[in-house]
Amino acid sequence: DAGITQSPRHKVTETGTPVTLRCHQTENHRYMYWYRQDPGHGLRLIHYSYGVKDTDKGEVSDGYSVSRSKTEDFLLTLESATSSQTSVYFCATLGHYGYTFGSGTRLTVV
Amino acid sequence: AQTVTQSQPEMSVQEAETVTLSCTYDTSESDYYLFWYKQPPSRQMILVIRQEAYKQQNATENRFSVNFQKAAKSFSLKISDSQLGDAAMYFCAYRDDKIIFGKGTRLHILP
């Protein structure tokens, strides 16, 4: 969807390094979400935000932090990446008609 | 906690036939939303259909329809006249203040 941009689209990083994934929206939506998708697990919620500087944990938040200093940007940070964090990460926003997802970021931790 | 269960990891259907994907969920809430999302190989998540729990009428979008049984907490997706482009992973999802996904059903369309 043109209203949500995730960057980067692909990233390979080494174990122990910090990584930040960015989600940018142009729709001025209040709610934003980070999910990870793994085979056999579907999409699992990592963190979400219900406004600037207002965030909360999802079901798989360990090892991740988030920040939202502006309505349009929601950052996901892996402070020290581990191989178990190799996954596809999706950002989503909640608008009037429902959820809209970004195109995903494929992160590989080697 | 709310849960969403898709009991069919994979399904196959002949082109032009009808297929039904199953989904059950667990919640103590009375007001919520249910969704089916499609994820083709492109990885994009595409909303197929949505249902508000307070509406008894089943939602329909062209060839896609749902059978919503609130008392049974069941929300199945029926795809009529299956097309090759329908091949994808399908996720059932539940939402009150956040959205919870099932593990998905991979649908294959046989020519």
Side-chain angles (χ1 to χ4, degrees), chain A residues 1 9 33 35 37 40-43 45 48 88 90 94 97 99 101-106, chain B residues 35 37 39 42-47 50 89 91 95-104:
Chain A
D1 187 279
R9 284 273 289 168
Y33 305 81
Y35 289 87
Q37 183 179 17
H41 290 277
L43 280 82
L45 182 64
Y48 64 103
V88 178
F90 284 94
L94 176 60
Y97 295 104
Y99 289 82
F101 287 83
S103 299
T105 295
R106 181 176 294 279
Chain B
F35 306 85
Y37 280 90
Q39 187 181 42
S42 68
R43 207 167 71 193
Q44 187 67 40
M45 294 288 286
I46 302 166
L47 177 64
R50 114 179 163 165
M89 182 73 85
F91 292 99
R95 175 209 154 194
D96 45 27
D97 63 334
K98 53 185 178 293
I99 191 168
I100 305 296
F101 289 87
K103 295 184 178 182

Side-chain angles (χ1 to χ4, degrees), chain A residues 39-52:
Chain A
H41 290 277
L43 280 82
R44 293 180 290 175
L45 182 64
I46 304 171
H47 282 280
Y48 64 103
S49 169
Y50 43 95
V52 173

Side-chain angles (χ1 to χ4, degrees), chain A residues 13 17 63 77 91:
Chain A
T13 193
T17 59
T77 298
C91 175

Side-chain angles (χ1 to χ4, degrees), chain B residues 45-85:
Chain B
M45 294 288 286
I46 302 166
L47 177 64
V48 174
I49 201 164
R50 114 179 163 165
Q51 174 84 41
E52 291 94 332
Y54 67 88
K55 290 186 177 179
Q56 292 187 341
Q57 186 174 7
N58 290 323
T60 299
E61 288 288 342
N62 300 312
R63 298 182 295 108
F64 298 87
S65 61
V66 297
N67 183 5
F68 173 48
Q69 302 289 328
K70 190 172 184 180
K73 296 179 183 175
S74 171
F75 184 61
S76 61
L77 174 70
K78 185 172 82 171
I79 306 174
S80 304
D81 186 26
S82 298
Q83 300 175 0
L84 294 177

Side-chain angles (χ1 to χ4, degrees), chain A residues 52-108:
Chain A
V52 173
K53 297 187 180 178
D54 290 324
T55 64
D56 206 348
K57 296 179 180 181
E59 61 179 310
V60 290
S61 59
D62 288 348
Y64 301 93
S65 63
V66 290
S67 66
R68 189 152 178 221
S69 58
K70 298 184 290 185
T71 298
E72 58 265 35
D73 290 326
F74 191 33
L75 304 180
L76 177 70
T77 298
L78 291 66
E79 300 291 345
S80 178
T82 67
S83 59
S84 66
Q85 293 175 312
T86 291
S87 187
V88 178
Y89 292 86
F90 284 94
C91 175
T93 64
L94 176 60
H96 180 71
Y97 295 104
Y99 289 82
T100 302
F101 287 83
S103 299
T105 295
R106 181 176 294 279
L107 176 67
T108 303

